[in-house]
Every structure is written in structure tokens, then in C-alpha cells.
Amino acid sequence: MRVSLLDVYVAGDNRDYNGGYGTTFSVGSSFRARLLEVARKKGEYFPLLTYGYLAAILKENGHDVTLDINRIRADADLVILQASLIRHNEEFQYLKRIRSETNARICLVGPLASTTPDAFRTCVDTIVSGDPEGPFLQLRRLEDLPLGVIASSRVDDLDDLPFPDWGVYEYKTFSQSPIFKRKPTAFIQGSRSCPYLCNYCPYIAIKKSYRIRRVGKVLEELKQLSAHYGVRAVMFRDPVFSLNRKWVIELCESIKKSSLDLELGCETRADRLDEELIDRMYEAGFRAIKIGIESTNYDALRAHKRSPPAIGHQEKIVSYCESKGIRIVAFFILGLPEDTPATVRQTIRYSHHLNPSLANFTICTPIPGTEFYEEVKDRIFNHNYNDYDNFNPVFHLDHLTSEQLKKYQEEALVSFYFRFGFLKKYLRSAIWQRS
Ligand code: SF4
């Protein structure tokens, strides 16, 4: 069968972020905001991990698979789309065109289709709810793909999955600059889901249990990425990479013993790191760690089931990593329902005080399928999914207007990056890189 993996893409989109719902980067209209947008769009290009896995499974089963970016494959027998929030309108137009211009069957996968299947029923044949790979692992003949919404059998053992096939992408263009210094970059998953319960989190919108791969298989995949694809940097796409300390230590030891020379990165929580673990990660090649700081408004975080780490520990971890040469990328959320102008300003000031290498400030967004969405759905005034990109307010707050919030977001990003503390760190790192 001829299978098309459809990717509706606009420069600057990151459809794998935000648990697979996607994000963009749209800071504002000022000159400095525009500069930041250009830098980000130039530096990052990400694939969809799901498409890497599906390409591998489908090719192994003898199908002819292509990735079609903003293009309809006229001779496709099956079109698969990971539906996103951020390109919802454009994707709908594509689905309608595929229906009217081709004979292809249409199958949707991913968290948005899983959590809001009713939004798509009229224009697709199959919706896979849950792990996207489940049905394709079991089916030899794609003609037998059931119609309607099908519950994916869970991929209990992640090592049952083949390694993602990046050959369908222009993989040499994958990059995560300036998070990584080296290119090309690749992406890998050591675990799926997260046992924490932050109720706004897109990673747990589809309720799945935490699963982790065997260290040996992860190492084997890293070796394949290096040898076969020539990658020099690899970002782990686990929601909380260092959840299992013993696993991280074992993985780092295995990497050290191998001949791999990769720049590595991951995302985790500050309270899942300590100095000894960081030392081991550094020795294995970790040079970037993304951490969700979220907000200094701890009461608001707790109200949404986020258990924040002790401030002292968080600051110690950030400063320790930075002093070792591990770049911290800190994530902040502005506009939690309990936020006020004062708490938002305090979070912005705290980002300067923490002074990580990089930071992002997103607007709190109710992601369909999350408990948070249900909590605030009566306050939602904007139902256009394209705007659910973390850069547009979509629900009413008690203490901040949408205009204020958008202005604070632009101020947060601009003041963070056009600041002496940031520029000093950035220049030092650039000089260190050249020497
Ligand atoms: S710890 Fe991170 S990944 Fe886990 S639920 Fe909270 S925000 Fe989501």
C-alpha cells in the first residue's frame, strides 16, 4: 500500500512539542520581538517522533511510505495525519481536499484526535485513540484497518517498537540551535508518559502509564543515530527524563563505555536531579537540560496539582548545571487562573534572577483532553484551535485582561533575552565554543 504521512507545516511550528499538540513561537510586534522570532525559526526544526515510528513499522510491513509536507499525495491508498492544535484549520482544509481529490482512506492519530474524536468524525475514516503505533504493529494488511474510533492496544513494551525511520525526512536539517551547539540533531524517546498529575499538562491528556525502555536498546538506537544518520546531538523527548535515577545512571555509564561522542539533552524536573546525577550526565555528554520552573506563584501551581520543587534546590540545580557547562532551558507559564499582574511580574523577575541559558514563557492554555480544560471551559472565549499555541490568551482571567497577558509575555521574552546577564552568558558560551 502507498501510505502518506501528512505534515501541515509553517516555519516556526513545532508539532511534536506540547505533548504532540504542537506549539509555535509568536512573541509580538516590536522590533526585538521580531528578532527573537527570526532567531528561533532559523534555529529549530523538529520532526514528529510518531511519524518516525510509523514510517519504520509500515516500511517493515512492506508499504511504500512518504512524508508529504504541505502536499497531497495523489496516489496514496492511506493518508495518516497526526492532528495538531496549532494547524487545525489548515489540516481540516487538507482533509477535505484529500476526500474530494483522491480515493485515499484517512486515518488520524495523536493526542488531539484521541481526546476530541467528535471534531473529526465527518472527514476521516479511522481515528486511533491512544498509542499511534498500536494498530499498525498488529496489522499486515492496511485494508483491515477498522473504521471509526479504535482504541489502540497499548504499547506496553516500548522496545517492541522498531527504531524510528528518519529516512522519510530531510533529517540533516533537524536542529535545536542554540540549545545544542552541534548539528545534525536527532530525537529519541527513553520513556513515555509521566506519573505526576499537573492538571494542565498535555503529556498526560491521554491517560497512559509510565513506561521505560531497556538501557541496551536506547544505547543501540543512539549508536544507530550516530552511525547511520551521522547525527552529533540527540535530544531525549521523555516528559521527565530523570524520573528513574538508577536507569539514568546505567544509561550514562553505558554511553561512557561506548565510543559515542554525542551532545545530549533532555527535559526533566529540578527535584529529579542532584549534583552526583548531573556529574554522571555531564560525563556521558549531556550539555542541555530543559526544566519546567513554571511560576513563582506556588499557590496557583498547587491549585492545578503541580508540586513545585523547593526553591533552594531548584536554584542550586540551575546554578550547578550552568557552572559545569550544561545549558539550562527554563520554561515559565504566565496567566494561570490565579495570576495577577504582581505574580506575573514576580515570575519574570525570577527568571532574570535564575539566569538560565535560555527561557521560554508560554501563556497558560487549556489543552483539550486535560483536566484543566474541563476546569476552565466556561471561561473560554476563543474556540479557534489554531490559537491554542501558547502565545494567545483563550480564556478569561479574573485579574488580567488578555491584552495585559499578551503584553507581559512579550515583555518577559524580550526582557530576558535583551538583558546584560543573558548577553554575557551567551557571548561567553560562543567564545568557549570557538576556543
Ligand atoms: S511533571 Fe511535567 S510532564 Fe509530568 S505531569 Fe507535570 S508538567 Fe507534565
Side-chain angles (χ1 to χ4, degrees), residues 194 196-198 200-201 203-204 239-240 269 294 306:
C194 171
Y196 287 94
L197 298 169
C198 316
Y200 48 81
C201 174
Y203 284 95
I204 55 168
V240 187
R269 292 173 53 107
E294 317 288 56
R306 167 86 178 176

Side-chain angles (χ1 to χ4, degrees), residues 176-182 185-186 233-235 263-265 288 327:
Q176 271 238 289
S177 171
I179 295 174
F180 283 139
K181 302 290 179 196
R182 297 189 191 171
T185 298
V234 179
M235 179 60 76
E263 190 178 10
L264 299 169
R327 290 175 287 286

Side-chain angles (χ1 to χ4, degrees), residues 12 14 17 31 95 106 125 163 167 171 201 219 248 250 253 255 281 296 300 302 310 315 326 331 361 374 395 421:
N14 191 323
Y17 269 172
F31 176 67
L95 294 177
I106 303 175
D125 299 295
F163 297 159
Y171 58 83
C201 174
L219 185 70
V248 176
E250 200 188 324
E253 289 304 312
I255 294 171
M281 289 170 69
T296 50
R302 288 194 191 98
E315 294 184 359
I326 296 179
F331 296 126
F361 299 81
E374 294 303 316
F395 70 102

Side-chain angles (χ1 to χ4, degrees), residues 51-192:
Y51 283 0
Y53 277 119
L54 288 179
I57 294 166
L58 292 164
K59 282 189 186 176
E60 267 183 22
N61 289 344
H63 302 292
D64 162 11
V65 185
T66 52
L67 172 79
D68 295 296
I69 301 176
N70 300 336
R71 183 184 90 91
I72 293 175
R73 180 174 171 180
D75 68 349
D77 300 303
L78 176 69
V79 174
I80 300 176
L81 169 70
Q82 174 162 324
S84 73
L85 272 176
I86 55 168
R87 293 294 152 221
H88 184 69
N89 299 335
E90 294 86 343
E91 286 169 3
F92 241 96
Q93 292 310 314
Y94 270 95
L95 294 177
K96 282 188 191 154
R97 280 185 53 206
I98 292 165
R99 191 48 102 222
S100 67
E101 295 170 21
T102 76
N103 294 318
R105 288 178 63 175
I106 303 175
C107 172
L108 292 196
V109 297
L112 182 65
S114 299
T115 54
T116 61
D118 289 343
F120 299 98
R121 271 184 215 272
T122 53
C123 57
V124 304
D125 299 295
T126 302
I127 295 175
V128 176
S129 178
D131 285 317
E133 305 90 351
F136 300 101
L137 276 173
Q138 287 158 356
L139 277 178
R140 290 277 143 195
R141 285 166 32 91
L142 291 179
E143 295 86 338
D144 297 335
L145 189 64
L147 299 177
V149 181
I150 55 171
S152 168
S153 53
R154 218 184 57 168
V155 183
D156 283 324
D157 185 348
L158 297 178
D159 290 317
D160 284 346
L161 296 171
F163 297 159
D165 184 327
W166 297 122
V168 291
Y169 277 93
E170 293 279 335
Y171 58 83
K172 289 206 161 62
T173 58
F174 294 165
S175 70
Q176 271 238 289
S177 171
I179 295 174
F180 283 139
K181 302 290 179 196
R182 297 189 191 171
K183 276 206 261 191
T185 298
F187 303 87
I188 191 171
Q189 213 169 32
S191 62
R192 278 190 187 176

